Amino acid sequence: MLLKPTVLASVLLCALLLPGAATAGELPAVSGPNGKLSVEGGTFDDEAAGLALGSFSLPLGHNLGVQFDGAVGNVDGDVLGGGGVHLFTRDPSSYLLGVYGSYHTWDSIDIWRIAAEAELYLGRFTVSALAGYENIDVPSLASGLPVLTQDEKSFFGIGDVAYYINDDFKIYGGYRYVAETSLGAAGAEYLLRDHGVPVSLFARGDFGNSDFNSITGGVKIYLSDDRNKSLIDRNRRDDPEIYVPVFPKVVTQTAKQQGSNQCVVGPSPDYKVASNFSCTCPSGTPLSGQQPQFIPALGGFYTCGNPV
């Protein structure tokens, strides 16, 4: 059973702040007040998108740090916005452990998250993870039509393994389980330090389900008192990653369908029929206009997705 967000946050925060929960390292959790700004563009689910991200981090004593995130952008003509907060302890030579909370909104869909955050530093490798609870609220109407996509309250998880080819060039691969969907991920970032202001070039993508595929690239500016700091040091001594959730597709009933008996379905990739087994699959599903299929596996269920 999933923990309620408030309970999960309390447990993680107690573990983070208990005496002896982390042994002080020689370096502080955050080297000093710092920030980053980035702009990227590309496609989300074959739709044009642009996104600006920013963060500000500062130390809270030797062992603790805090970071505030912000995001604003445009995806398929609708504004995306939101932000998050990280509270963490870190030894830059070995690990980061913290708690994370966020809220983002797009196309009248609201996503709240509370999670645990961790990083492990192994030479030129960094293993990072974010896992917890997300609450996805979708509107009841979109463009005046009933929304068939259902609200979701579920576990989510993000994991990456990064390798620094040199101190300023990072590549990574990873896995995401978001909106009850599995995705692969890959990306790279290269920091330029010879032009006064530290600027990096980056590209990243999520793939594995056509409803959630994304490929973006852009530039990032790092702001701190040490302009010559390497990328690996910035990632391990300054600011944690900024996270933006994956938003589900909103499936609506068409005006023609409103008078017929339409199936109520869950999110992709399963499109499980929640009620009205003698119904017609709605538009936006693989079996649109057809009867749902019965899947005997895992106890049996009806679906408007692709039969397996």
Side-chain angles (χ1 to χ4, degrees):
M1 180 181 295
L2 288 171
L3 292 173
K4 291 183 178 180
T6 53
V7 176
L8 179 61
S10 298
V11 171
L12 294 173
L13 188 59
C14 287
L16 182 63
L17 299 179
L18 276 175
T23 302
E26 293 183 2
L27 296 173
V30 180
S31 63
N34 67 88
K36 60 180 178 284
L37 299 170
S38 67
V39 178
E40 62 189 282
T43 62
F44 287 87
D45 184 26
D46 297 325
E47 302 293 347
L51 191 63
L53 304 176
S55 70
F56 175 70
S57 306
L58 69 160
L60 300 176
H62 186 80
N63 294 334
L64 292 175
V66 65
Q67 175 170 302
F68 302 94
D69 300 339
V72 64
N74 187 291
V75 180
D76 192 25
D78 292 300
V79 175
L80 182 153
V85 179
H86 311 247
L87 177 64
F88 56 92
T89 184
R90 174 166 55 187
D91 179 348
S93 67
S94 56
Y95 71 89
L96 174 148
L97 178 64
V99 292
Y100 171 79
S102 69
Y103 165 76
H104 292 83
T105 184
W106 171 76
D107 195 22
S108 299
I109 303 172
D110 299 325
I111 299 182
W112 301 84
R113 283 177 162 182
I114 184 72
E117 182 176 16
E119 296 179 355
L120 182 63
Y121 311 133
L122 304 169
R124 290 199 172 274
F125 286 93
T126 294
V127 181
S128 59
L130 183 77
Y133 172 98
E134 69 179 359
N135 183 75
I136 303 174
D137 290 327
V138 299
S140 58
L141 293 174
S143 301
L145 298 174
V147 171
L148 302 178
T149 306
Q150 296 179 322
D151 292 346
E152 288 291 338
K153 299 175 177 63
S154 61
F155 167 85
F156 79 95
I158 297 171
D160 288 322
V161 177
Y163 177 72
Y164 292 84
I165 296 175
N166 58 48
D167 287 354
D168 294 319
F169 187 18
K170 176 180 74 172
I171 58 174
Y172 72 87
Y175 170 79
R176 284 95 176 90
Y177 182 78
V178 290
E180 296 193 337
T181 302
S182 292
L183 299 169
E189 182 177 2
Y190 181 70
L191 178 66
L192 305 170
R193 285 192 279 165
D194 301 327
H195 303 283
V197 177
V199 176
S200 73
L201 307 177
F202 66 90
R204 54 189 170 196
D206 296 337
F207 50 87
N209 183 295
S210 59
D211 286 346
F212 299 102
N213 288 346
S214 68
I215 300 176
T216 63
V219 297
K220 186 182 300 182
I221 299 174
Y222 288 95
L223 307 170
S224 70
D225 59 352
D226 183 359
R227 294 185 176 182
N228 199 42
K229 189 180 295 182
S230 66
L231 180 63
I232 190 171
D233 280 343
R234 292 183 184 280
N235 292 166
R236 295 180 179 183
R237 297 185 59 195
D238 289 347
D239 46 3
E241 185 60 64
I242 300 176
Y243 296 101
V244 177
V246 172
F247 287 84
K249 270 190 171 182
V250 171
V251 179
T252 60
Q253 228 174 26
T254 66
K256 181 180 179 180
Q257 291 171 331
Q258 290 186 54
S260 62
N261 184 24
Q262 295 297 309
C263 300
V264 177
V265 300
S268 64
D270 294 328
Y271 291 111
K272 291 182 180 179
V273 176
S275 62
N276 301 328
F277 298 146
S278 298
C279 57
T280 302
C281 291
S283 63
T285 63
L287 296 180
S288 174
Q290 305 177 43
Q291 296 294 313
Q293 297 287 324
F294 180 75
I295 306 299
L298 302 176
F301 61 90
Y302 287 85
T303 178
C304 284
N306 293 314
V308 295

